[in-house]
Amino acid sequence: MENQFPIDYYSLLEACGLPGCPLCNLLLHSTERLLDSLLYEQVNESETQRAVRARRGLCNTHAWQMSRMMGNALGIAILYRAAVDEALGAIKRATPKAVTQSGLERILGMQPQQDALPLAAALEPTQPCMACSLSSATEQRYLGTFKQYISDERLLAALRASNGLCLNHFSAALRQMHDPAGLGQLIGIQREIWSRLQVELQEFIDKNDYRRMREPMGTERDSWQRALRAMAGEPGVFGVDPQTR
């Protein structure tokens, strides 16, 4: 019956029809929804403000992803006013003696590096990026669904027709597999997908040789881009803050 499957199962099926790693695409979508909600609904909430202050904003990846979302300049300004305020507060609380070093020390060229260490430590984030934390939790949820239904024929067929999992998510899925049959299916499908990619990469390389440059490109035309996605994952999925698997 259709209603026996959770919504995440259908999300996985749909994501298999998109270019690139299905799990990467699901994480990109969930992160975009978080950032949109953050900027439109939660920007002034005390919990959001505390998290932004603790992380000094978001990680590099998610901060710039947020900046590319149209119409969010005011929300970003409000969030980063809090981040800048926290950084300034850290300077005030841990101003190093280097700022007030004596004239003799300046003349001698002494480097009071040890005095600056407390300030450097105070500027470090005390919490992870909000978007990275959500992405990690969402990743675990989808990996759990993937593990639960890996022997389902419909999911297997969708995975075979996809570009496969990226290297990071393939490794993460392998760590969670306990069903020998499902594990064998997953490895076999991934091997087939990457074997086809390997052939297409070689064909792309060969057709860039002067002896074959007049031959038209086929499916190998974008193989180099698919190889990047396969090995690195989709751009913007893996933020600067480490994810826990």
Side-chain angles (χ1 to χ4, degrees):
M1 296 176 61
E2 286 291 313
N3 59 7
Q4 69 179 310
F5 298 108
I7 190 170
D8 285 350
Y9 168 86
Y10 295 104
S11 297
L12 280 168
L13 288 179
E14 184 178 356
C16 284
L18 300 174
C21 171
L23 289 174
C24 281
N25 283 312
L26 287 169
L27 295 184
L28 283 173
H29 181 61
S30 67
T31 302
E32 186 174 336
R33 283 188 301 173
L34 165 76
L35 295 177
D36 186 67
S37 175
L38 185 69
L39 291 168
Y40 277 99
E41 303 169 11
Q42 305 170 32
V43 68
N44 285 310
E45 291 185 4
S46 57
E47 185 178 350
T48 300
Q49 292 276 318
R50 283 195 298 270
V52 167
R53 285 177 175 274
R55 179 54 183 78
R56 320 307 188 232
L58 301 180
C59 73
N60 181 279
T61 296
H62 292 126
W64 288 108
Q65 180 181 350
M66 183 170 59
S67 76
R68 293 189 292 271
M69 299 171 67
M70 300 297 293
N72 289 308
L74 177 59
I76 293 172
I78 293 172
L79 288 179
Y80 275 79
R81 178 184 60 188
V84 172
D85 180 69
E86 189 65 24
L88 284 171
I91 291 177
K92 292 176 183 177
R93 292 189 298 271
T95 300
K97 295 177 183 178
V99 176
T100 57
Q101 62 180 313
S102 69
L104 178 60
E105 288 173 324
R106 288 195 297 271
I107 292 171
L108 294 176
M110 295 176 64
Q111 299 296 321
Q113 183 180 12
Q114 187 172 356
D115 292 332
L117 293 180
L119 174 56
L123 291 170
E124 290 291 326
T126 58
Q127 288 184 19
C129 166
M130 295 174 65
C132 285
S133 295
L134 172 80
S135 182
S136 182
T138 304
E139 181 183 56
Q140 287 301 308
R141 196 181 80 230
Y142 280 117
L143 282 169
T145 304
F146 192 79
K147 176 181 69 173
Q148 184 178 357
Y149 294 101
I150 187 57
S151 295
D152 177 77
E153 285 302 324
R154 191 173 174 186
L155 180 58
L156 287 172
L159 189 60
R160 286 191 188 94
S162 74
N163 293 135
L165 300 179
C166 70
L167 179 64
N168 285 329
H169 283 136
F170 180 48
S171 297
L174 291 176
R175 295 188 191 100
Q176 297 206 12
M177 287 295 163
H178 301 296
D179 174 25
L183 177 61
Q185 293 269 33
L186 174 61
I187 294 173
I189 290 172
Q190 195 71 30
R191 182 170 55 233
E192 290 173 10
I193 292 171
W194 281 353
S195 295
R196 288 197 300 270
L197 178 59
Q198 183 185 47
V199 171
E200 290 181 317
L201 284 168
Q202 186 59 55
E203 186 70 3
F204 179 84
I205 293 168
D206 291 345
K207 285 186 178 179
N208 274 277
D209 186 277
Y210 74 93
R211 291 165 294 189
R212 296 187 60 188
M213 288 186 68
R214 294 182 180 275
E215 296 182 33
M217 287 283 185
T219 57
E220 71 277 1
R221 181 186 301 276
D222 66 345
S223 59
W224 63 276
Q225 293 173 310
R226 284 183 280 123
L228 285 176
R229 287 187 164 99
M231 295 297 106
E234 292 297 304
V237 172
F238 302 101
V240 172
D241 289 357
Q243 292 177 278
T244 302
R245 289 201 174 93

